[in-house]
């Protein structure tokens, strides 16, 4: 009805859309294409020379490059896996307990458990570095108090533990997000559904597994894809705890830190924007594949229940 | 009825589990805060003790305030966060209004185009963004950061705000049109005040990631005059690795502003998340 009788151009639509589209296109979309373009060039005598997919061939074929790349990708995959098997189940469990109507102080717990999520990586990284430091001795001291002193290791400094430790610190920081989203999903389940289950004898744990869990599956899908995108884009926590070199011996190197080092250079190696762009494009590909699997493989198959 | 569902033993177990996790969540923060007020000796000798008259000291804070440009960093962070939020909300709500209110060719396509950024992180374009900023002379300015954060925040803002704007009654807007209000006035005078809760949600969602971001300040604005608090504390704390008083105080001072924001906005934030704004 409205406006259909006006054949003239509706300039206000343009005015409303223009600022957002302009900033978004200039700072988000064009740079994505710009990075793609850079990844197809190389710099020879300060001139950009088109070389097709050679950067990608180097990245995947050259021994030194491919080793760092696969190492970073593998570490990144493990980083993501730790989040999926630790962070999301803990978040769901906490949300399930919080959503119980008989539980008191639930808003206190919710507020407190969300606090790490609002802190910056700098604070989280340094705080855990200090706590796990063998010099300060909070962690060994506390293990000593329960007679488990022998378990202590300088976890962040050992190649075999460092990546898992950093991943667990990140889990500690971000558990609040699955907790909140699942909590919201659980609250939206109507009482009648749960009461109908009770009449059929489903209470407590069995009510959770048989009624609530199937109903919150779409939200679990969302937290999984959010975790995926966040993890394959991670940089800050590794940078604050382990530095740009992602030590010890690159054992905590993820794609984000590899991109940073390649682009800016480190130690003896000069920065290389073209190779950096190639790595950024590989990250783009990984994230794109993940998002597509979610959108077409998972989301469309999931049944959504309308109440 | 309720007795069936809530076994007291289960409730007790739930409290025990939640309390344990709350301790895990808060312990590192509290350890840092408490030790920042202690002398170096007692930081090491008894890290879990509260400061007493013997061990209380503010020496770390003195070092931090003397050495670091804490207030400048804080001011930079403030400017960047507030300006970014303002423009995300202004541009985002304008675009959301256009998409939800008018039927025009390419409407769905435009909505999809703006939604790409919800899933694809803006960081992937960093190298090209830096080149653009170098070319336009915006490196080491707060403007560069503000522009990036606007672009980063817009997709989700448009998405959430257009959901809400669809719920604004059409009769109200049509009444405005009959009274001869222009489309701009309908938007600013009639619609915007009605979607204020959604705008608050968008604001709190964006506030914390912008305030805490390390990547873009590190790459686009690492200069002394434009350091944000997050980047400033990263570099500052890195310099004082051996001065534990200064490190702990620097950390505490970085925690403080976020905690204040959280205390002010936590209800809004939690309501925003739980109201199902993110579907």
């Amino acid at each position: 009805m409205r406006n259909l009788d006006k054949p003239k151009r509706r300039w206000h639509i343009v005015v409303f859309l223009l600022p957002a589209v302009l900033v978004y296109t200039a700072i988000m979309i064009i740079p994505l294409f710009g990075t793609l373009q850079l990844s197809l060039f190389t710099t020879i005598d300060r001139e950009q020379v088109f070389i097709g997919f050679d950067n990608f061939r180097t990245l995947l074929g050259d021994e030194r490059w491919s080793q760092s790349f696969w190492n970073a990708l593998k570490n990144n995959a493990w980083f993501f896996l730790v989040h999926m098997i630790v962070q999301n189940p803990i978040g769901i469990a906490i949300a399930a307990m919080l959503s119980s109507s008989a539980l008191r102080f639930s808003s206190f717990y919710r507020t407190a458990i969300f606090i790490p999520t609002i802190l910056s990586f700098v604070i989280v990284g340094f705080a855990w570095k200090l706590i796990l430091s063998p010099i300060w001795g909070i962690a060994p001291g506390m293990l000593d108090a329960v007679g488990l002193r022998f378990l202590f290791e300088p976890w962040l400094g050992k190649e075999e533990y460092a990546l898992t430790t950093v991943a667990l610190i990140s889990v500690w920081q971000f558990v609040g997000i699955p907790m909140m989203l699942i909590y919201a999903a659980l609250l939206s389940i109507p009482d009648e559904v749960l009461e109908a289950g009770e009449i059929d004898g489903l209470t407590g744990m069995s009510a959770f597994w048989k009624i609530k869990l199937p109903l919150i599956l779409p939200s679990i899908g969302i937290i999984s894809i959010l975790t995926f995108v966040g993890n394959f884009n991670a940089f800050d926590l590794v940078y604050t705890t382990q530095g740009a070199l992602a030590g010890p011996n690159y054992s905590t190197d993820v794609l984000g830190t590899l991109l940073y080092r390649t682009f800016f250079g480190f130690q003896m190696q000069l920065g290389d924007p073209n190779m950096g762009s190639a790595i950024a494009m590989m990250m783009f590909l990984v994230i794109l594949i993940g998002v597509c699997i979610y959108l077409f493989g998972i989301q469309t198959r999931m049944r959504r229940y309308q109440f | 009825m309720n007795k069936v569902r809530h076994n007291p033993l289960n409730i007790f177990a739930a409290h025990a589990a939640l309390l344990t996790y709350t301790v895990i969540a808060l312990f590192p923060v509290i350890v840092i805060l408490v030790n920042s007020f202690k002398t170096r000796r007692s930081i090491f000798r008894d890290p879990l003790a509260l400061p007493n008259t013997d061990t209380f000291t503010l020496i770390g804070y003195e070092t931090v305030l003397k050495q670091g440009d804490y207030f400048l960093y804080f001011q930079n962070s403030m400017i960047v966060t507030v300006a970014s939020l303002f423009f995300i909300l202004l541009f985002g709500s304008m675009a959301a209004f256009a998409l939800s209110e008018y039927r025009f060719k390419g409407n769905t396509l435009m909505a999809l185009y703006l939604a790409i950024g919800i899933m694809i992180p803006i960081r992937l374009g960093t190298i090209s963004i830096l080149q653009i900023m170098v070319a336009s002379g915006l490196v080491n300015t707060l403007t560069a950061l503000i522009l990036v954060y606007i672009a980063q925040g817009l997709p989700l803002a448009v998405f959430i705000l257009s959901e809400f704007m669809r719920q604004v009654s059409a009769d109200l807007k049509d009444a405005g049109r009959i009274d001869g209000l222009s489309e701009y006035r309908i938007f600013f005078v009639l619609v915007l005040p009605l979607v204020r809760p959604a705008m608050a949600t968008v604001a709190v969602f964006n506030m914390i990631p912008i305030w805490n971001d390390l990547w873009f300040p590190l790459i686009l604005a690492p200069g002394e005059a434009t350091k944000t608090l997050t980047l400033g504390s990263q570099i500052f704390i890195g310099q004082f690795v051996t001065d534990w008083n200064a490190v702990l105080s620097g950390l505490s001072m970085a925690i403080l502003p976020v905690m204040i924001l959280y205390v002010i906005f936590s209800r809004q934030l939690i309501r925003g998340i739980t109201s199902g704004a993110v579907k």
Side-chain angles (χ1 to χ4, degrees):
Chain A
M1 170 67 210
R2 50 189 178 225
N3 284 322
L4 285 182
D5 46 343
K6 279 192 232 162
K8 65 173 185 182
R9 272 194 95 83
R10 291 170 291 165
W11 282 107
H12 50 266
I13 299 182
V14 180
V15 173
F16 279 132
L17 277 172
L18 201 62
V21 172
L22 219 59
V23 177
Y24 175 75
T25 308
I27 311 289
M28 172 114 200
I29 301 297
I30 292 180
L32 276 178
F33 283 103
T35 309
L36 174 64
Q37 190 195 2
L38 274 171
S39 71
L40 303 176
F41 283 75
T42 193
T43 316
I44 300 171
D45 296 334
R46 296 172 165 235
E47 293 284 326
Q48 291 283 317
V49 183
F50 181 79
I51 50 161
F53 289 102
D54 274 6
N55 286 330
F56 293 93
R57 267 182 220 120
T58 313
L59 187 63
L60 301 173
D62 179 84
E63 200 180 318
R64 201 171 48 89
W65 279 105
S66 70
Q67 203 193 357
S68 337
F69 176 74
W70 292 115
N71 174 50
L73 189 64
K74 195 189 76 210
N75 289 343
N76 226 150
W78 176 244
F79 196 73
F80 170 63
L81 211 65
V82 171
H83 282 79
M84 287 302 283
I85 52 186
V86 184
Q87 173 190 284
N88 295 348
I90 291 182
I92 294 168
I94 294 175
M97 290 187 269
L98 285 178
S99 69
S100 158
S101 55
L103 190 91
R104 298 177 66 199
F105 311 119
S106 88
S107 72
F108 161 75
Y109 291 128
R110 216 169 50 203
T111 312
I113 293 174
F114 201 71
I115 283 180
T117 310
I118 61 155
L119 298 178
S120 77
F121 292 98
V122 174
I123 298 166
V124 171
F126 275 109
W128 276 102
K129 221 167 126 174
L130 296 180
I131 286 167
L132 297 176
S133 152
I135 305 172
W136 195 6
I138 286 203
M142 288 176 66
L143 283 176
D144 205 16
V146 286
L148 293 171
R149 173 72 206 230
F150 63 92
L151 281 178
F152 180 77
E153 300 262 2
W155 287 293
L156 281 171
K158 289 248 173 154
E159 246 180 82
E160 60 267 45
Y161 304 121
L163 179 64
T164 311
T165 311
V166 175
L168 288 174
I169 295 174
S170 170
V171 165
W172 173 82
Q173 184 179 7
F174 287 117
V175 126
I177 290 176
M179 172 188 85
M180 286 295 187
L181 294 177
I182 298 294
Y183 175 73
L186 286 170
L187 284 191
S188 70
I189 299 176
D191 279 344
E192 299 87 67
V193 176
L194 297 174
E195 280 162 14
E198 260 170 45
I199 293 167
D200 292 337
L202 291 175
T203 57
M205 285 302 259
S206 57
F208 177 76
W209 290 110
K210 296 208 170 117
I211 304 175
K212 292 180 184 169
L213 196 64
L215 290 176
I216 58 169
L217 274 182
S219 303
I220 296 179
I222 290 171
I223 58 173
S224 307
I225 189 64
L226 286 179
T227 312
F228 183 85
V229 175
N231 284 167
F232 277 92
N233 185 26
F235 161 80
D236 311 56
L237 188 64
V238 177
Y239 182 76
T240 48
T241 53
Q242 309 292 72
L245 281 175
N249 193 21
Y250 302 114
S251 58
T252 51
D253 203 17
V254 289
L255 292 170
T257 45
L258 180 65
L259 164 63
Y260 181 83
R261 279 202 318 276
T262 310
F263 177 34
F264 281 96
F266 64 105
Q267 291 179 338
M268 300 306 285
Q269 190 186 327
L270 285 175
D272 184 342
N274 300 105
M275 280 307 280
S277 301
I279 294 172
M281 281 300 118
M282 293 304 287
M283 290 167 77
F284 182 79
L285 199 68
V286 170
I287 290 174
L288 201 65
I289 292 171
V291 171
C292 285
I293 292 176
Y294 167 71
L295 285 180
F296 303 114
I298 300 174
Q299 203 200 24
T300 47
R301 288 199 196 157
M302 222 138 27
R303 260 189 268 173
R304 278 169 188 277
Y305 297 87
Q306 293 284 328
F307 298 115
Chain B
M1 186 75 197
N2 274 339
K3 267 183 208 132
V4 192
R5 210 187 299 167
H6 311 298
N7 182 338
L9 208 66
N10 281 345
I11 292 292
F12 179 76
H15 274 293
L18 288 168
L19 210 59
T20 312
Y21 198 84
T22 306
V23 171
I24 296 175
L26 296 184
F27 172 74
V29 183
I30 291 168
V31 167
I32 299 292
L33 290 175
V34 164
N35 280 287
S36 71
F37 292 104
K38 282 156 60 173
T39 57
R40 191 185 163 81
R41 252 174 83 107
S42 75
I43 289 175
F44 281 97
R45 182 177 287 173
D46 208 352
L48 297 181
L50 287 172
N52 56 34
T53 43
D54 278 345
T55 58
F56 180 83
T57 174
L58 289 173
I59 180 117
Y61 289 94
E62 282 165 24
T63 322
V64 174
L65 290 176
K66 228 181 285 163
Q67 302 271 341
D69 232 334
Y70 182 84
F71 293 105
L72 176 70
Y73 302 158
F74 179 80
Q75 192 190 330
N76 287 339
S77 279
M78 246 357 219
I79 294 172
V80 168
T81 310
V82 171
S84 306
L85 288 181
F86 175 80
F87 287 111
I88 289 172
L89 290 175
L90 178 67
F91 296 168
S93 57
M94 282 163 65
F97 184 69
L99 291 176
S100 60
E101 177 66 15
Y102 308 113
R103 270 172 291 169
F104 57 91
K105 238 188 250 164
N107 182 317
T108 321
L109 210 65
M110 183 58 85
L112 275 176
Y113 175 70
L114 288 171
I116 299 171
I118 296 178
M119 278 302 179
I120 301 300
I122 192 168
R123 280 185 187 189
L124 298 179
T126 304
I127 298 177
S128 191
I129 293 176
L130 178 60
Q131 290 186 337
I132 293 173
M133 294 302 174
V134 170
S136 53
L138 287 174
V139 169
N140 277 329
T141 63
L142 298 180
T143 316
L145 292 178
I146 294 168
L147 281 172
V148 168
Y149 295 139
I150 298 172
Q152 172 184 284
L154 274 175
L156 194 62
V158 172
F159 183 76
I160 294 178
L161 290 171
S162 47
E163 292 279 302
F164 275 83
M165 285 191 186
R166 283 200 190 97
Q167 296 163 14
V168 175
S169 111
D171 291 345
L172 179 73
K173 288 173 281 194
D174 288 340
R177 288 191 182 101
I178 291 166
D179 284 349
L181 293 186
S182 70
E183 294 298 317
Y184 305 106
R185 299 212 44 174
I186 287 173
F187 170 67
F188 281 107
V189 179
L190 294 182
V191 177
L192 268 197
L194 289 173
V195 294
R196 263 203 310 239
M199 292 178 75
T201 304
V202 171
V204 268
F205 274 153
N206 280 295
M207 186 167 63
I208 289 163
I210 294 176
W211 182 276
N212 283 342
D213 189 38
L214 179 62
W215 175 264
F216 283 113
L218 186 65
I219 290 169
L220 296 178
E224 188 53 38
T226 50
K227 270 187 198 133
T228 59
L229 187 60
T230 306
L231 178 62
S233 19
Q234 154 80 18
I235 291 169
F236 179 78
I237 294 167
Q239 282 167 354
F240 280 91
V241 263
T242 48
D243 186 343
W244 284 65
N245 292 99
V247 169
L248 292 167
S249 310
L251 277 174
S252 305
M253 286 178 69
I255 294 175
L256 196 68
V258 208
M259 286 300 251
I260 292 173
L261 287 178
Y262 183 56
V263 169
I264 299 174
F265 292 111
S266 71
R267 201 178 284 167
Q268 194 78 53
L269 179 74
I270 288 168
R271 200 189 302 144
I273 301 174
T274 50
S275 71
V278 210
K279 280 192 185 139

